[in-house]
Amino acid sequence: MTKRKSQGFPPIPSNESRRLAALLRFELLDTPAEAMFDNITAMAAQLCETPIALISLVDAERQWFKSRQGLDASETPRELAFCAHAINGESLFEVENALLDPRFRDNPLVTGAPDIRFYAGMPLADSEGHNLGTLCVIDRQPRQLNVQQKGALKLLAQQAINLFELRLQARQQREQAALHKAILSSVGTAVLITDMEGVIRQVSPGVLPLLGYEVDDLIGQSLGLVLPDEDRQLQPDPARASINCGSEQASQRETSARHRKGQRIPVLFSLAPVAIDGSQQMGYLCVLNDLSYREEALQRLQHIAEQLPGVVYQFQLHSDGRSCFPYASEGLRDVYGLQPEDVQKDASLVFARIYPDDLAAVTASIQASAENLSVWHQEYRFLHPTKGPIWLEGRATPQRRSDDSILWHGFITDITQRKHLEQMKSEFVSTVSHELRTPLTSIAGSLALINGEALGPVPDAMREMLLIAQSNSQRLRQLIDDLLDMDKLLAGKMSFVPQRLDLDSFLTDCATSHQGFARQHDVQIDYAGGIVTSVMADPVRLQQVLSNLLSNALKFSPAGSRVLLSAQALGGHVRVSVADQGPGVPADFVDRLFEKFSQADASDRRQKGGTGLGLAISKELMERMGGAIGFHPRPEGGAVFWIDLPALLQDETL
């Protein structure tokens, strides 16, 4: 630092980092000599009557001369540069006699070649005020510039910076032109640039695959050559030539373009004005995007949809409640008895024919799917104009659009025949169950009397067979009871008598009543008790649900394990849980856990008996009582089945 001060080291400008960045942006350093800059230094030397004139650019460590007159060196260290002092000001920096100036008298450029005595430098500032260097004149004799010379040097310096800017703009324009040419050559679509009269001046290679024209075939032709007669209004209008580009708007529409062989090609035609920096409009940019693929895709979709049962559709629900079917396959005629165009903009005709008792459920399911973006799935009845009431099943996946509407993609099928078969099966099962129940009750009762030795001692040779018969008759009776319960639930004939129940007492009784079954399986039932909450439920049906859950837990628990019965209040409801330490529920079976006749082991060799109806019945019972049922695995192994019931406040009455 001391050495630099002794040599008059020039101070660093306060905006040095930005100044250096601006200098690099012009890309002038280490470039070949250019006549336009040499002309300026020659004129500066002549006007100022000096042997040396320079255009000096001050870099981080040096000053480099873009143009020089009367000097062989192309650069000098920055710490020796007079120009490095000049860039710290905004006006002419003049040294009349360097030998008398303490900043320069020891400078090697003064004490040796080129023996500088006089220096005058005008800063070269860009449009943002960054001093990039100087236009300077140098003499080997002490002297001073007159007023005219100072003015001339200032004007020449301004001309030099103007040339810097023009040179930068020219380079940028060359780069943009090269980029434009590369884009135009590589773009896959057809791009045409016309003048204000609609004459094509530039063309992209994309016109060949789209329209069959070589690039040279269209240069100089009218844009109307590739547009059908009825779409000639899309051509640039010469009358608009005088309109400033800032007021012009790009236009876009679907139309057809004319192929070289005469056929029409569906395209998206875009027309935009071309101008530079708000100047007068120069022409138009025309883009033709091929829409043939869309037509082909629609035709493929239509052919596929025609082979599918039912209707493939899109349903759109707007934020203001309006709904429509933007797309529906031809199957809509069979399913709804409507034409696709009847509902393309308004879906009210469909909702008007939904069976009145099912309309609220359908509307609610659509709303829930929209709110949660979950899959919509619903079975409902529909009043077909020719078939009468039919059953339909719909499934669709929602998608939120940018306009905040929801668009579903899905299908609807006619399931009337399936529903009819299900009804026939249900009626058959119900009839058979009722017919079997009375004789089976008599058989089971008789076997119980025999095995209970009410009719006398049972011979040892017959005892085992009679016990097997009694066990199987009890299992068959349970199956029939479950079938009849399910039949009543589906038919809406099962009665419910809700009562206020003290949950703690109720669960205590449930645990006690299952102790005998628990001992048979060498399993212990634990109930902590202590919950002070009342619930509203039918005690018989609630007992049936809990009995099913406890029996399953005990049946599937290993010997010596425990089953935990617990309850906890959760806001406005109470959750009762039954947790076991058994094998748990297979992951691939969880989704079918509460379906009718579903069993994790459905083979005829399964070790645990059951009808596969218990959980399905429990689900129906809980929903009819305003509750819910569910399952989750225990982290430490086993399964937890739970039921939720509405809790009653202390002051609530029946």
Side-chain angles (χ1 to χ4, degrees), residues 604-621:
D604 56 4
R605 298 183 300 275
R606 62 181 183 269
Q607 297 179 352
K608 306 297 182 181
T611 65
L613 285 171
L615 290 177
I617 292 173
S618 297
K619 182 176 183 293
E620 291 286 339
L621 292 175

Side-chain angles (χ1 to χ4, degrees), residues 511 513-525 554 563:
S513 65
H514 284 78
Q515 291 296 342
F517 190 67
R519 285 192 290 271
Q520 291 180 23
H521 291 80
D522 191 20
V523 178
Q524 182 175 335
I525 297 179
L554 294 168
V563 170

Side-chain angles (χ1 to χ4, degrees), residues 599-645:
Q599 292 180 319
D601 181 3
S603 69
D604 56 4
R605 298 183 300 275
R606 62 181 183 269
Q607 297 179 352
K608 306 297 182 181
T611 65
L613 285 171
L615 290 177
I617 292 173
S618 297
K619 182 176 183 293
E620 291 286 339
L621 292 175
M622 290 306 303
E623 290 176 353
R624 300 296 174 89
M625 290 188 290
I629 188 171
F631 155 85
H632 63 82
R634 293 184 69 190
E636 61 271 28
V640 177
F641 284 85
W642 52 263
I643 59 173
D644 285 347
L645 289 164

Side-chain angles (χ1 to χ4, degrees), residues 140-170:
R140 296 183 178 86
Q141 302 295 327
R143 56 168 301 174
Q144 187 178 16
L145 296 181
N146 59 39
V147 175
Q148 290 78 12
Q149 290 172 330
K150 292 179 180 179
L153 194 62
K154 182 177 181 180
L155 291 175
L156 289 173
Q158 184 59 52
Q159 184 62 23
I161 201 67
N162 290 341
L163 291 176
F164 286 178
E165 298 283 357
L166 289 174
R167 185 180 183 279
L168 175 62
Q169 292 175 11

Side-chain angles (χ1 to χ4, degrees), residues 10 31 42 75 86 126 145 195 242 259 298 309 336 435 481 525 532 539 564 583 591-592 598 613 643:
T31 58
E75 63 181 57
D126 67 4
L145 296 181
D195 58 20
S242 61
H259 193 274
L298 288 174
Y336 281 150
E435 293 297 325
D481 287 343
I525 297 179
V532 185
L564 176 62
D591 292 339
R592 297 181 289 120
S598 61
L613 285 171
I643 59 173

